[in-house]
């Protein structure tokens, strides 16, 4: 069989391994293993130098495989195989292809003619031990011809490995017998093999969320990775008998340009993989955050305005794998047509003079369709969304689209026929998301909307944004579309209702398409996106009202999320300010839908019952106020009286006397009744009145069925002390509970009424777990009986992903006029125990905490506190403000450099 090493220059071979010199070295060392190790170490050093000097990666990858061949061949030849053992040493898998990176497994097979080979076991074991002694990562198997044939017939991985086998040493006749035994005429015919590989690829892609754009992708196995390229080679080898993708040119499956693109993509991925293996010092195919910055530097990228070096490097990676995915789709569709569907009758029906449907795939009627009528490029995508039976374009049509994408120029974008078609596409009854993804993959969406083209493959180097900007955008539209499905009612009850109450869903999709389009340019991406959205609306002839809504949604797409997660929704002024910002109930519905979809498409781990409840609360409170009229907000006294009356009615049903209730309530300021709902006031009052001891009262009320994920309330009623908040926060951390919100009220009799909303540290709910609830109560009671004995902070390891981020902390103090209070905003890098340290610092600064909103976004925390001085008054002295900020910044900078705190 032809060896794959012909392209390696003879000078390279001689430099890597000179057999004569090596034999001479063997005579002067105490152990042959030492000579092998020296040879391998020197060869590795040379290959690293050649890589740095720019030797082609193809030569390097093949050269390493060739080198290992020489070592294994020499080792094999030094053993005694003369005792009637007919054996051949084969390279299989990637090594069989001649592709060997620094950390790649060296897959070998000792192929034997006979089934019984116990008499040769000692020789075989000795041979297999030697490479390990040399430091080589060898993955080996020993099988007879019969074993191979039997296993290969039922195992897709084994048949694939054997297909790629080649002889290192030993009789080639044995290998020829193997190839004959596993031929497609005997097992795994082309059709069965392709179908199995199709299924295998779908399973593999699903494991990686069917996206090329994972922030820590696997360069080998993720969609668009090297394994997709291998898939094409395997099918070509199995069905067409070629191991060289270049031969697909002759078969008409690839054009010259497409083949060059495949080669270019493979070369870049090989370069990254080679560097990654050397950097990790082992076989590592995951582009982890640990390595991305270093690789970006090695590949020559530097930070620039709007884009870090690592983001530029990863954008090149993502664009590379997107091209590879395009070509993978194209060739697999060709294989489908030529292999799986070859025997199917061609069932075709015309759609119009430009397109027809053939076996559920849309096909251009001729090669000049797009050249003669460029708007047909968009027309084809529109037609796909009008017929649910159409599964996509045929392979030849995909190629035509790719070949004619340059027709999508300024004239195309301004053509009224094209703008009408694009708007029609956004009104699609079916398959809008997958169609937009196809347009992006085939290069059309990025050309039709150049501003979208700028964000293709653009990553954001943080833990908050799980996907690239373009992948996130299209996923957002998928969520918006899904709200109409019956399956969404349980998870998104409000969104599932509101999606049917907006008059023009296509405006929502367009706002989604543009909401992040300004990222990567520097400046406020919401404002940049709003400008781009306005240009789009003007070119596409949208009326003034529709334009105003889209532009407003893009500009304000973060406002609802930020208000819900960072502000006190029990404050009527917060609701009033937000309602004024929104203006109408119709805009509120659009913004709510966009916000829910945005959060879910940003990071699957972000959406939980707590965030859902915050957004629902903000939505309904704002909706009621807009219905009543923003300026018709009830007077504070009226609102307090109404809340008290409702709570009084609930308590009356429990048989509690009005006199006792009034006496207790006289101890509370109006703030308590403004910041709590009537049902909360009811059960808290009942618990306080029935509490007959001086020890702290701790209540964790039962969460109604269906609302567990919104978090559990922990109510603490105890005599106020200086470090009560800090001690409580530390206690929660020791319990591995994450505080979401804190409302802290001090009575006129110096008792603290604190209500914490908590979730488990992993975001799950406590629910009705009686054992866990007793544990929480017991630990809190122990801590709060003596909060002056501040619990020690325990050291806890910082999670791997957090260690690679260290944002400059920010501390901002501001005075709020209505209501009069001091607001402290802290933005910092998340670390275990950070909130506990902040609470401890509050104690040292003699600060009171009246409220807190705790928000974590990936590796960032954005916490807001309502604080006061030791007398409970807002802080206005500039010197004191500077002292507070300085002290907190010192703590935040210190903790960001610590390995572990809790």
């Amino acid at each position: 069989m032809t060896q794959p090493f012909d392209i390696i220059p003879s000078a390279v071979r001689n430099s890597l391994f000179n057999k004569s010199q090596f034999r001479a070295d063997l005579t002067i060392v105490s152990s042959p293993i030492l000579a092998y190790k020296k040879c391998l170490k020197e060869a590795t050093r040379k290959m690293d130098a050649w890589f740095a000097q720019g030797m082609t990666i193809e030569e390097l990858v093949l050269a390493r495989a060739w080198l290992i061949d020489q070592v294994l061949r020499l080792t094999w030849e030094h053993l005694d195989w003369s005792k009637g053992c007919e054996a051949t040493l084969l390279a299989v898998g990637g090594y069989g292809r001649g592709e060997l990176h620094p950390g790649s497994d060296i897959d070998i097979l000792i192929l034997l003619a006979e089934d019984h080979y116990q008499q040769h076991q000692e020789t075989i074991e000795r041979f297999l031990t030697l490479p390990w002694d040399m430091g080589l990562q060898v993955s080996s198997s020993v099988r007879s011809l019969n074993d191979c044939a039997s296993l290969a017939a039922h195992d897709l991985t084994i048949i694939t490995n054997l297909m790629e086998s080649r002889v290192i040493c030993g009789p080639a006749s044995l290998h020829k017998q193997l190839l004959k035994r596993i031929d497609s005429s005997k097992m795994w015919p082309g059709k069965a093999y392709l179908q199995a590989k199709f299924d295998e690829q779908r399973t593999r892609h699903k494991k990686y969320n069917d996206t090329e754009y994972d922030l820590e992708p696997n360069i080998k196995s993720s969609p668009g990775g090297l394994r997709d390229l291998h898939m094409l080679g395997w099918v070509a080898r199995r069905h067409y008998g070629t191991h060289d993708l270049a031969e697909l040119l002759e078969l008409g499956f690839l054009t010259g340009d497409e083949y060059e693109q495949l080669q270019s993509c493979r070369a870049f991925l090989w370069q990254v993989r080679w560097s990654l293996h050397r950097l990790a010092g082992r076989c590592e195919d995951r582009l982890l955050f640990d390595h991305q910055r270093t690789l970006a530097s090695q590949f020559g990228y530097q930070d620039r305005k709007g884009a870090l070096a690592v983001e530029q490097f990863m954008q090149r990676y993502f664009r590379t794998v997107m091209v590879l995915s395009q070509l993978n789709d194209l060739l697999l569709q060709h294989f489908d047509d030529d292999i799986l569907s070859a025997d199917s009758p061609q069932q075709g029906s015309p759609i119009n003079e430009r397109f027809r449907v053939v076996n559920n795939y849309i096909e251009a009627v001729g090669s000049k369709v797009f050249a003669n009528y460029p708007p047909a490029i968009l027309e084809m995508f529109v037609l796909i969304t009008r017929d649910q039976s159409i599964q996509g374009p045929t392979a030849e049509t995909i190629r035509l689209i790719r070949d004619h994408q340059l027709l999508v120029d300024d004239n195309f974008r301004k053509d009224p026929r094209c703008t009408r078609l694009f708007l029609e596409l956004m009104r699609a009854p079916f398959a809008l998301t997958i169609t937009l993804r196809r347009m992006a993959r085939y290069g059309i969406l990025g050309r039709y909307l150049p501003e979208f083209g700028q964000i293709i493959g653009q990553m954001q180097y943080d833990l908050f944004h799980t996907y690239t900007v373009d992948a996130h955008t299209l996923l957002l539209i998928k969520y918006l579309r899904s709200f109409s499905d019956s399956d969404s009612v349980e998870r998104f009850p409000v969104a599932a209702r509101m999606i049917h109450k907006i008059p023009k869903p296509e405006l929502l999709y367009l706002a989604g398409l543009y909401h992040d389009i300004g990222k990567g340019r520097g400046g406020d991406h919401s404002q940049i996106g709003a400008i781009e959205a306005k240009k789009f609306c003007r070119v596409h002839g949208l009326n003034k009202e529709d334009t105003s809504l889209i532009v407003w949604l893009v500009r304000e797409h973060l406002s609802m999320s930020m208000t819900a997660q960072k502000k006190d929704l029990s404050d009527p002024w917060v609701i009033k300010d937000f309602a004024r910002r929104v203006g109408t109930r119709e805009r509120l519905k659009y913004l709510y839908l966009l916000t829910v979809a945005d959060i879910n498409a940003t990071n699957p781990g972000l959406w939980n019952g707590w965030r859902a409840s915050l957004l629902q609360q903000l939505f309904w409170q704002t909706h009621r106020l807009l219905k009543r009229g923003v300026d018709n907000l009830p007077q504070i006294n009226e609102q307090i009286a109404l809340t008290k009356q409702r709570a009084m009615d609930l308590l009356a049903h429990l048989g509690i006397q009005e006199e006792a209730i009034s006496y207790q309530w006289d101890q509370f300021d109006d703030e308590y009744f403004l910041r709590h709902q009537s049902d909360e006031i009811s059960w808290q009052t009942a618990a306080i009145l029935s509490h007959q001891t001086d020890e702290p009262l701790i209540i964790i009320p039962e969460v109604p069925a269906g609302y567990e994920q919104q978090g559990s309330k922990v109510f603490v009623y105890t005599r106020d002390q200086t470090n009560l908040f800090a001690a409580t926060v530390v206690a929660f951390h020791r319990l591995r509970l994450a505080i979401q919100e804190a409302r802290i009220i001090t009575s006129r009799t110096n008792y603290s009424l604190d209500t914490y909303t908590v979730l488990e540290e992993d975001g799950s709910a406590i629910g009705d777990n009686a054992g866990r609830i007793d544990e929480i109560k017991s630990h809190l009671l122990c801590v709060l009986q003596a909060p002056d004995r501040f619990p020690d902070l325990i050291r806890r390891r910082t999670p791997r992903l957090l260690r690679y981020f260290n944002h400059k902390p920010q501390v901002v103090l501001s005075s709020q006029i209505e209501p009069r209070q001091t607001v402290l905003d802290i933005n910092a890098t998340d670390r275990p125990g950070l909130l506990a340290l902040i609470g401890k610092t509050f104690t040292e600064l003699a600060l009171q905490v009246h409220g807190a909103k705790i928000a974590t976004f990936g590796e960032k925390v954005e916490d807001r506190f309502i604080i006061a001085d030791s007398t409970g008054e807002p802080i206005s002295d500039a010197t004191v403000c500077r002292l507070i900020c300085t002290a907190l910044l010192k703590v935040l900078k210190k903790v960001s450099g610590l390995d572990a705190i809790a």
Side-chain angles (χ1 to χ4, degrees), residues 771-813:
R772 179 63 165 149
I773 290 172
D774 287 344
E775 178 190 11
I776 294 168
K777 284 184 176 181
S778 175
H779 184 71
L780 280 173
L781 184 62
C782 180
V783 170
L784 297 181
Q785 282 179 325
D788 53 314
R789 295 200 297 270
F790 199 91
D792 291 334
L793 297 177
I794 59 173
R795 296 181 68 82
R796 192 184 302 167
R797 182 169 295 279
T798 302
R800 176 186 69 84
L801 290 176
L802 287 179
R803 291 202 297 268
Y804 303 104
F805 297 92
N806 190 359
H807 300 286
K808 184 178 180 181
Q810 293 181 316
V811 177
V812 178
L813 267 175

Side-chain angles (χ1 to χ4, degrees), residues 198 201 212 224-225 228-229 231-233 245 248-249 253-266 319-335 395 398-399 402-403 405 441-443:
F198 263 138
Q201 178 169 288
E212 300 91 342
D228 283 4
L229 194 58
M231 160 90 167
L232 301 176
L245 289 178
L248 294 178
L249 287 165
F253 291 152
L254 278 175
T255 66
D257 287 343
E258 289 164 350
Y259 176 72
E260 290 300 322
Q261 284 184 313
L262 273 179
Q263 293 294 90
S264 176
C265 290
R266 186 183 71 172
R319 289 187 170 183
T320 298
V321 296
M322 186 182 74
V323 172
L324 195 53
S325 290
Q326 292 175 16
L327 295 170
N328 181 261
D329 284 353
L330 175 68
L331 282 168
L332 290 183
Q333 184 61 56
H334 264 307
F335 294 156
I398 293 173
R399 174 170 288 126
R402 285 169 48 83
D403 289 346
Q405 59 181 287
R441 180 165 288 187
Y442 303 156

Side-chain angles (χ1 to χ4, degrees), residues 581-846:
R581 192 167 190 167
V582 174
T584 70
R585 282 177 286 168
E586 183 174 291
R587 281 191 170 188
L588 178 65
K589 294 169 188 172
Y590 277 99
L591 183 59
Y592 176 80
L593 291 165
L594 183 61
T595 302
V596 173
D598 193 15
I599 292 174
N600 279 275
T602 297
N603 187 323
L606 280 180
W607 187 254
N608 55 29
W610 170 244
R611 282 193 169 94
S613 67
L614 290 177
L615 286 173
Q616 290 177 23
Q617 181 182 349
L618 178 57
F619 175 83
W620 289 118
Q621 287 182 253
T622 307
H623 192 274
R624 286 192 292 270
L625 183 55
L626 289 170
K627 185 176 181 180
R628 184 190 302 120
V630 175
D631 294 324
N632 294 326
L633 188 69
Q635 295 296 314
I636 298 297
N637 291 338
E638 294 176 15
Q639 186 172 335
I640 292 173
L642 182 61
T643 300
K644 281 184 173 182
Q645 186 57 55
R646 288 173 175 167
M648 186 74 76
D649 292 343
L650 292 171
L651 289 163
H653 281 91
L654 298 176
I656 301 176
Q657 296 297 316
E658 183 174 339
E659 183 179 348
I661 298 169
S662 297
Y663 176 79
Q664 185 65 50
W665 284 357
D666 285 343
Q667 300 172 29
F668 304 156
D669 289 330
D670 289 347
E671 183 185 10
Y672 174 77
F673 299 98
L674 283 172
R675 297 177 65 190
H676 292 79
Q677 301 294 317
S678 55
D679 61 332
E680 288 181 301
I681 295 170
S682 171
W683 64 258
Q684 290 179 6
T685 302
I688 292 170
L689 290 173
S690 63
H691 188 58
Q692 300 299 320
T693 70
D694 289 334
E695 69 180 20
L697 169 65
I698 300 168
I699 301 290
I700 303 178
E702 183 179 347
V703 180
Y707 291 86
E708 297 87 354
Q709 298 300 322
Q710 294 184 9
S712 296
K713 297 279 196 269
V714 178
F715 176 65
V716 176
Y717 178 74
T718 187
R719 188 170 296 281
D720 192 25
Q721 297 186 52
T722 304
N723 56 350
L724 186 61
F725 173 77
T728 307
V729 169
V730 173
F732 279 131
H733 263 282
R734 293 173 74 95
L735 287 162
R736 293 187 177 274
L737 291 171
I739 299 172
Q740 309 297 309
E741 183 180 50
R743 281 176 284 167
I744 298 169
I745 305 290
T746 304
S747 72
R748 294 188 177 98
T749 54
N750 203 37
Y751 269 79
S752 186
L753 299 89
D754 304 343
T755 305
Y756 296 89
T757 303
V758 298
L759 289 168
E760 296 287 4
E761 204 169 52
D762 63 0
S764 62
I766 297 170
D768 58 358
N769 186 334
R772 179 63 165 149
I773 290 172
D774 287 344
E775 178 190 11
I776 294 168
K777 284 184 176 181
S778 175
H779 184 71
L780 280 173
L781 184 62
C782 180
V783 170
L784 297 181
Q785 282 179 325
D788 53 314
R789 295 200 297 270
F790 199 91
D792 291 334
L793 297 177
I794 59 173
R795 296 181 68 82
R796 192 184 302 167
R797 182 169 295 279
T798 302
R800 176 186 69 84
L801 290 176
L802 287 179
R803 291 202 297 268
Y804 303 104
F805 297 92
N806 190 359
H807 300 286
K808 184 178 180 181
Q810 293 181 316
V811 177
V812 178
L813 267 175
S814 57
S815 297
Q816 191 170 295
I817 298 175
E818 196 64 53
R820 186 168 172 264
Q821 58 189 13
T822 301
V823 179
L824 171 67
D825 286 301
I826 292 179
N827 296 342
T829 308
D830 192 18
R831 290 291 185 268
L834 178 63
L835 185 59
L837 281 178
I838 292 172
K840 185 173 183 291
T841 307
F842 287 160
T843 298
E844 294 167 352
L845 293 170

